[in-house]
Structures are given as structure tokens and as C-alpha cells.
């Protein structure tokens, strides 16, 4: 790899690095109260403590791997990941077929669109009282809110994607004898896929917001709950450590979705062999 290529790959690291250095210097110089804004080094120490197992290793009660992954942070990451993925699968799984139907059928669209447009502007957070009344506390209301947050981005992008399919593709497929099912499967869905995958990325992002809010209100574990708990004890370093953990989890999920996007759309970019 040439020097220019290496610099090109790491250029996105420069700005965050400079921000962290400036942040550390400002706190060290006493320009801000470390109780309000702790130094990055203090956040890193707290993050490491948050990652460590809560109890000493006992081979009589658990395996070493189970002990290594028994830390508070690991459990919170798993719980948050589980909720956001389950909620997204439910919301996206309902939105995708409905969006395909509404995009392909003018009749279905005319019947359902008024209801969709009334419900869509309501923030998922506004459903929190109803979610708790309907489902109580724990995972069910949190998953409901995440599913609701993911539903509309996937639905609207799918509708737009299907309705934006070039009529030339449809006429060409009809001229080649494609029936409705084949047309839908081989022409409409692939052509709408860029819009659908954009909706997936937006839906996951919205689901993350709903997850954090839900965990602060309805459950007693997860990253959102841990941030709220840290606020009660004025642990600002743990709050920031939890926030960065959310960002890292979101980055990991978005990276996987981005790879999936590139794989499914390789024909769209002229990369299909």
C-alpha cells in the first residue's frame, strides 16, 4: 500500500483524534468542571471498569468464557442489541410487504394512505403511556416502541421505491411475457431495493432512539437504563461511556447493513459478474 493510499484510509481518524486531544487538554487545564465534563482518560477508565466482570472468577460456578462476558457492559450491550434487532425485525417485517402492496396497487394505496399519513407524524415516544398500559414493564413495551419507530421509514421508502420503478422496465418485462408474480419478483422488487435498503438504515437509526428512551423508562437493564442510573449518582464519566457504547453498537450494526447494501446492490453499481 502506498503512503497516499494509507493516508486516504485513515483521514477520517484525524478530526476525532484532534477533538479528543482538545477535550483532554481543556479538562486538564481546569477550564471546565470535571464533574460536569470528565476528561477522555477518565471516561476510558470508567468504560474499562464498566466492561470488567462484577465478580472474581470462580471455576466451580462458571466457565472462564462465561465469566469474561459477565460484565455489566457486555450484558447491557446484549440486551440493547436484542431489543433493537427484535423490534426492527417486527416493524420492518410488517412494513416491507405492506409497502410493496401499497406501492404496486393504487387501490390499496388509496385505502390505506390516509390512515398512514395520520399515524406517521406521531412520534413513537408519544406512545410510551399506552405501551406501558398495554404491555406493562419490561421488554414488550420497549420492543413495541422500537418496532413502531422502524415501521414508518421502511414503509414509506418501500412505497416510494416501488412507485419509482421505471415504466420501461415494466413494459419490457411484459413484452417478454412476464406474469404479475414474475414481474413483481424479478423487476419491481430489485428495482426498488435501493430505496428499501435506505429505509432499513433509517429505520434502524430510529429504532435506536426509541430503544434508549424505552430503556430509560420501561426496563431495568440495557444501555439506556445504565445512562439514567449513572445520572442519579452524578457519574458523568459513566454516562459518556454509555453514550460511546451506544455509538459503537450503532456503528457495528450500520457497518453490517452497509455491507449487505453493497452486496445486494452490486448489480445496481455495475459490479455483478
Amino acid at each position: 500500500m502506498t503512503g497516499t493510499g494509507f493516508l486516504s484510509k485513515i483521514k477520517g481518524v484525524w478530526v476525532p483524534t484532534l477533538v479528543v486531544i482538545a477535550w483532554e487538554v481543556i479538562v486538564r487545564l481546569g477550564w471546565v468542571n470535571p464533574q460536569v465534563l470528565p476528561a477522555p482518560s477518565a471516561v476510558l477508565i470508567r468504560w474499562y471498569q464498566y466492561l470488567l466482570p462484577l465478580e472474581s472468577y470462580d471455576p466451580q460456578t462458571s466457565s472462564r468464557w462465561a465469566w469474561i462476558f459477565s460484565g455489566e457492559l457486555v450484558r447491557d450491550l446484549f440486551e440493547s442489541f436484542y431489543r433493537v434487532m427484535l423490534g426492527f425485525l417486527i416493524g420492518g417485517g410488517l412494513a416491507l410487504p405492506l409497502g410493496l402492496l401499497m406501492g404496486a396497487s393504487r387501490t390499496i394505496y388509496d385505502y390505506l394512505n390516509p390512515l398512514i399519513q395520520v399515524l406517521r407524524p406521531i412520534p413513537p415516544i408519544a406512545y410510551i403511556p399506552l405501551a406501558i398500559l398495554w404491555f406493562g414493564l419490561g421488554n414488550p413495551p420497549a420492543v413495541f416502541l422500537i418496532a413502531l419507530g422502524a415501521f414508518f421509514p421502511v414503509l414509506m421508502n418501500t412505497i416510494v421505491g416501488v412507485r419509482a420503478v421505471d415504466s420501461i422496465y415494466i413494459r419490457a418485462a411484459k413484452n417478454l411475457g412476464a406474469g404479475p408474480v414474475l414481474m413483481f419478483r424479478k423487476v419491481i422488487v430489485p428495482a426498488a431495493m435501493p430505496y428499501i435498503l435506505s429505509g432499513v438504515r433509517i429505520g434502524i437509526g430510529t429504532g435506536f432512539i426509541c430503544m434508549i428512551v424505552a430503556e430509560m423508562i420501561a426496563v431495568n437493564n440495557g444501555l439506556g437504563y445504565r445512562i439514567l442510573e449513572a445520572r442519579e449518582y452524578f457519574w458523568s464519566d459513566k454516562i459518556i461511556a454509555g453514550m460511546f457504547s451506544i455509538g459503537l453498537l450503532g456503528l457495528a450494526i450500520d457497518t453490517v447493513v452497509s455491507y449487505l447494501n453493497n452486496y445486494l446492490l452490486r448489480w445496481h453499481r455495475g459490479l455483478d459478474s
Side-chain angles (χ1 to χ4, degrees):
M1 182 183 296
T2 65
T4 304
F6 176 74
L7 290 175
S8 177
K9 287 184 176 296
I10 67 169
K11 62 184 180 182
V13 178
W14 290 112
V15 173
T17 301
L18 291 174
V19 169
V20 170
I21 292 173
W23 175 9
E24 181 79 25
V25 170
I26 288 171
V27 176
R28 293 290 181 182
L29 292 176
W31 293 355
V32 296
N33 185 349
Q35 185 67 39
V36 176
L37 183 64
S41 56
V43 173
L44 184 61
I45 292 172
R46 173 65 80 165
W47 190 86
Y48 178 70
Q49 294 171 345
Y50 187 17
L51 179 65
L52 290 176
L54 297 176
E55 300 177 356
S56 57
Y57 174 60
D58 183 0
Q60 302 297 325
T61 58
S62 65
S63 66
R64 182 169 292 276
W65 281 108
W67 174 76
I68 290 173
F69 291 102
S70 65
E72 196 175 57
L73 175 59
V74 177
R75 294 204 301 263
D76 288 340
L77 280 170
F78 174 79
E79 292 293 339
S80 295
F81 176 78
Y82 168 76
R83 291 185 186 107
V84 77
M85 285 293 99
L86 180 59
F88 174 78
L89 289 174
I90 294 173
L94 294 173
L96 181 59
L98 182 59
L100 292 172
L101 289 174
M102 290 180 67
S105 172
R106 185 70 195 185
T107 301
I108 296 176
Y109 180 85
D110 289 340
Y111 274 112
L112 296 181
N113 187 58
L115 176 62
I116 296 297
Q117 297 308 322
V118 169
L119 296 177
R120 185 169 65 91
I122 303 174
I125 296 171
Y127 289 89
I128 288 176
L130 284 177
I132 294 176
L133 284 174
W134 291 344
F135 302 106
L137 299 176
N139 279 333
V143 172
F144 169 76
L145 292 173
I146 295 166
L148 195 62
F151 177 83
F152 289 105
V154 176
L155 175 68
M156 300 310 298
N157 275 52
T158 303
I159 293 172
V160 171
V162 173
R163 294 170 73 87
V165 175
D166 198 322
S167 60
I168 294 176
Y169 298 154
I170 297 176
R171 289 200 298 268
K174 286 182 178 179
N175 289 336
L176 293 172
V181 176
L182 187 63
M183 174 83 69
F184 198 77
R185 188 164 57 91
K186 293 292 188 178
V187 178
I188 294 177
V189 173
M193 192 58 67
Y195 292 88
I196 295 172
L197 291 176
S198 294
V200 167
R201 295 185 77 170
I202 297 170
I204 290 177
T206 308
F208 257 89
I209 297 172
C210 297
M211 174 199 74
I212 298 304
V213 174
E215 288 182 343
M216 288 181 172
I217 295 172
V219 297
N220 59 359
N221 55 31
L223 295 170
Y225 169 80
R226 207 62 63 189
I227 289 173
L228 192 66
E229 179 190 55
R231 187 209 65 176
E232 299 293 332
Y233 294 97
F234 298 100
W235 294 336
S236 53
D237 49 359
K238 191 170 184 178
I239 293 174
I240 298 175
M243 291 168 61
F244 277 114
S245 299
I246 294 168
L248 291 174
L249 178 60
L251 176 63
I253 294 175
D254 188 72
T255 300
V256 173
V257 173
S258 179
Y259 277 117
L260 179 64
N261 191 323
N262 292 334
Y263 175 76
L264 293 177
L265 297 182
R266 61 195 188 283
W267 64 269
H268 186 67
R269 300 185 174 96
L271 300 177
D272 198 8
S273 55

